[in-house]
Amino acid sequence: MTSHDNKAADLEERVSYVQSNTAKDVDGYAEAKSPKDLEEGALVEGGALDLFSREAFALFMQYGAIGIIYGMIPSLNYPIFNIYLNLEGYQTSSYGVLTVIGWSFKVIFGLLSDCVPIYGYRRKSWMLIGWTITMICLSVMAFSPFGEPFCNREKTKFCSTPLEKVPKSELQYFNLTAPDNGTLFILLSMFIAFGYVLAASASDAMVVEYAQREPVAIRGRIQTGI
């Protein structure tokens, strides 16, 4: 009886061993798991990006441009909209919000970059769209006149005086319609925010792809460089 039980157990172990070696990958795990035959633990093929290559310099320049616009557009609030056009406080506060509202949509822009390729490109196409929007809006702002300032500081000393206390003889140096000229520039600044954040979202995704190509020993180098 004991011998019969041992033979049955031995047969069961052999059948289990054969099944474990011949079973098919039903769930597709073998294809989805991280490859082990790439260079020094890289997650995807392609090799690490040379930080002195044209691709790397293009990526660095793009992030440099994003930083310039990110700092430049909000800084127009005080000298242009507050002093030159004399917008109300709630209007300048709204401008400050609109110039960064694009970052609230970064998740959506990232999904578009990941899931909606254009002409076969997931990153470059969305970068071009973002920078095209930004450059068009910046060009319109650059070549559109602001008009006369709210107060001509070269001809009157009452610019910092409340309007109701300004002498009537000095009112000729005030342009009461100046605040109306700020609407166009506020809207353009908002679209600029959407444009460069769209480009930034695609750039961030590209940086992740480059990082996955790096070996374990230097993984994250491209992210540190940026």
Side-chain angles (χ1 to χ4, degrees):
M1 184 67 178
T2 304
S3 176
H4 179 73
D5 292 340
N6 290 337
K7 290 182 179 180
D10 183 59
L11 179 61
E12 184 178 354
E13 290 180 1
R14 291 185 180 184
V15 171
S16 176
Y17 174 79
V18 171
Q19 287 182 345
S20 64
N21 283 275
T22 60
K24 296 182 179 180
D25 182 25
V26 179
D27 298 329
Y29 172 75
E31 296 183 0
K33 65 182 181 180
S34 300
K36 296 183 178 180
D37 55 345
L38 297 179
E39 180 184 359
E40 299 179 359
L43 298 178
V44 296
E45 299 178 351
L49 179 67
D50 184 3
L51 296 183
F52 295 97
S53 64
R54 290 189 299 176
E55 289 179 288
F57 274 106
L59 196 61
F60 297 153
M61 291 174 62
Q62 178 161 264
Y63 276 101
I66 291 171
I68 291 173
I69 297 175
Y70 178 74
M72 177 184 67
I73 296 300
S75 65
L76 298 177
N77 195 351
Y78 181 75
I80 300 298
F81 297 102
N82 193 4
I83 301 299
Y84 190 88
L85 298 178
N86 195 45
L87 295 183
E88 297 290 340
Y90 72 92
Q91 293 174 312
T92 55
S93 298
S94 299
Y95 174 80
V97 173
L98 292 175
T99 54
V100 295
I101 195 173
W103 294 102
S104 301
F105 294 86
K106 189 176 181 182
V107 174
I108 297 176
F109 295 154
L111 289 174
L112 289 175
S113 176
D114 288 337
C115 305
V116 186
I118 300 177
Y119 293 107
Y121 294 98
R122 293 188 301 162
R123 315 300 181 199
K124 295 180 181 179
S125 299
W126 291 106
M127 288 181 188
L128 289 174
I129 291 174
W131 285 121
T132 300
I133 294 173
T134 302
M135 293 306 299
I136 290 175
C137 294
L138 286 174
S139 299
V140 174
M141 290 181 68
F143 293 103
S144 297
F146 281 106
E148 294 295 325
F150 177 78
C151 178
N152 192 332
R153 297 177 180 274
E154 296 179 353
K155 297 181 179 180
T156 182
K157 299 179 180 179
F158 293 91
C159 290
S160 58
T161 304
L163 195 60
E164 60 273 9
K165 296 182 180 180
V166 176
K168 293 183 179 181
S169 59
E170 299 291 328
L171 289 177
Q172 59 180 323
Y173 304 119
F174 286 79
N175 178 19
L176 301 182
T177 62
D180 298 334
N181 298 331
T183 303
L184 173 64
F185 296 95
I186 291 175
L187 292 176
L188 290 174
S189 299
M190 181 185 68
F191 285 113
I192 289 172
F194 280 107
Y196 82 82
V197 172
L198 175 58
S201 301
S203 301
D204 291 343
M206 182 174 286
V207 169
V208 172
E209 291 181 352
Y210 284 140
Q212 291 176 342
R213 289 164 45 179
E214 296 174 339
V216 174
I218 61 171
R219 185 172 300 158
R221 182 187 58 171
I222 183 66
Q223 294 164 311
T224 304
I226 292 174

